[in-house]
Amino acid sequence: MQCTTVKPGYECSFMSRGGCGFGAPSDTCATVAAQCEGCDHIHDWPSGRYCKKFAAPAAKWALGNCNMATHIKIEKAETKKVNPLKASKKAAGRK
């Protein structure tokens, strides 16, 4: 349904016939957090700046990085799996 509280005209998954169903203390979407600056999911509505993906963006940053942040590049370190049995046999063969 379309949002009627803070993002008028936007298709929101939290909206129902009874109003906003998001269970935050204010029962509406929260504005973006400071860590969200630069993300492509931020949109400016007349009532403020809100995230298009999450109703409470600060909660996504509470335990680390937001999983939908477009402005953060995560570098994955390549780790090679080593079979301990083969590694011990290889080490024993070198002696």
Side-chain angles (χ1 to χ4, degrees):
M1 293 188 74
Q2 289 192 355
C3 182
T4 58
T5 55
V6 293
K7 304 179 214 174
Y10 181 71
E11 286 293 325
C12 183
S13 59
F14 296 111
M15 285 304 292
S16 65
R17 289 188 178 111
C20 187
F22 181 64
S26 63
D27 289 331
T28 60
C29 293
T31 57
V32 293
Q35 298 95 332
C36 295
E37 293 301 323
C39 184
D40 293 336
H41 298 296
I42 295 174
H43 191 270
D44 292 323
W45 275 278
S47 56
R49 298 183 72 189
Y50 296 95
C51 180
K52 293 180 186 178
K53 300 290 181 181
F54 301 112
K60 298 301 285 184
W61 292 96
L63 298 176
N65 290 339
C66 176
N67 60 334
M68 295 297 269
T70 59
H71 61 292
I72 295 177
K73 301 294 180 202
I74 299 173
E75 296 179 17
K76 293 183 180 178
E78 291 187 34
T79 58
K80 187 175 180 181
K81 291 187 178 182
V82 177
N83 187 338
L85 182 61
K86 287 184 179 181
S88 66
K89 285 182 181 180
K90 195 179 281 189
R94 291 184 190 159
K95 292 182 181 179

